[in-house]
Amino acid sequence: MADLLGGRRGAVDATLPPVAFVLAWSLTGSSIGWGAAAAVGVSVLVGAVRLVRREKVRAVLLSLAGVTVAALIAVRTGDPEDFFLPQLLANVASALVWAVSILVRRPLLGVVVGAVLGQRMRWRRDRDLLRAYSRASWVWVGQYLLRVLVFGALWLAGEVVALGTARVLLSWPLVAATLAASGAVVHVTLPHAHPGLRRPRTPVAGDGPRDAHPEEDDATEGHTEHPSSPGTHR
């Protein structure tokens, strides 16, 4: 998860444009134009460095586009706090997506970890893993809601400098805490005898526990192969 999110370096890269905006806005007598120019300029420099590091061009372009949109919104509305509006809305959307994924029994934490481990969605047929990923995904929902509350309050109050500070503090430190907390939730939720994330248990037909909880295994997986019987579909 840390690698997928870019790690500390990715978090630093993401916070540089907002910091540049706040600094330029403050040092030029509250000029939104200079703040926007500084943010976009720093974003271009960060993108160039990331390309030199052979990172994906698409990710660089998306990051630059996000900063540019934020800068244009602030210039258009004439309110410097609106530079942080896209970030606020993105966290609202993220909280909703993660919450919905849990409610429809496809918690995003499991989707991501399953993809990284090459399991696809096989982990969903292990009711213990499904439960653990669902509970741990609520930690990520809480992370996004915390940002929404902080950014929302500061945005409504027009606190530009405080928004820039919160943007830094609620980046990698919060993500690191969320990773640790969600990992702890998964560890505590899984039974002691469970083989672990890398070995999801796939129940076989007629298995007592599975029959006792049919709701834990819906038919959305399609044809999932049992690890001990290659080529045999459920």
Side-chain angles (χ1 to χ4, degrees):
M1 286 291 292
D3 290 340
L4 288 175
L5 295 171
R8 266 179 275 189
R9 177 176 293 177
V12 171
D13 290 349
T15 56
L16 286 177
V19 169
F21 176 87
V22 173
L23 287 176
W25 175 80
S26 301
L27 296 174
T28 58
S30 302
S31 170
I32 298 177
W34 279 111
V40 174
V42 169
S43 182
V44 171
L45 290 176
V46 169
V49 173
R50 293 174 67 181
L51 288 177
V52 171
R53 297 199 305 248
R54 298 178 180 273
E55 295 188 17
K56 293 181 179 179
V57 176
R58 181 180 179 183
V60 173
L61 293 178
L62 287 175
S63 177
L64 177 59
V67 174
T68 302
V69 169
L72 289 175
I73 291 175
V75 170
R76 183 65 181 271
T77 63
D79 296 320
E81 63 270 20
D82 284 349
F83 178 84
F84 298 90
L85 184 58
Q87 183 71 24
L88 171 60
L89 296 178
N91 279 277
V92 171
S94 296
L96 288 174
V97 169
W98 277 76
V100 169
S101 76
I102 300 169
L103 296 177
V104 299
R105 302 170 61 75
R106 286 168 178 76
L108 277 179
L109 184 61
V111 174
V112 173
V113 175
V116 171
L117 297 180
Q119 301 166 350
R120 298 187 179 180
M121 299 293 285
R122 198 174 74 228
W123 55 269
R124 288 193 65 246
R125 303 194 56 197
D126 183 333
R127 69 171 181 272
D128 291 324
L129 271 180
L130 178 59
R131 183 184 303 110
Y133 283 139
S134 295
R135 292 180 179 177
S137 290
W138 284 115
V139 178
W140 288 83
V141 175
Q143 171 203 219
Y144 293 117
L145 289 179
L146 175 60
R147 288 202 187 103
V148 169
L149 291 175
V150 174
F151 290 156
L154 294 176
W155 177 74
L156 290 173
E159 297 290 343
V160 180
V161 176
L163 277 166
T165 303
R167 181 69 177 82
V168 174
L169 296 178
L170 297 182
S171 59
W172 176 253
L174 180 59
V175 172
T178 303
L179 281 168
S182 58
V185 170
V186 170
H187 178 73
V188 171
T189 304
L190 286 178
H192 180 70
H194 194 279
L197 303 183
R198 295 181 181 277
R199 295 183 294 276
R201 296 184 296 194
T202 306
V204 296
D207 191 355
R210 178 188 169 194
D211 291 342
H213 300 277
E215 71 278 7
E216 295 293 349
D217 184 15
D218 53 34
T220 57
E221 282 302 308
H223 298 292
T224 304
E225 295 182 359
H226 191 283
S228 62
S229 304
T232 302
H233 296 297
R234 176 186 169 198

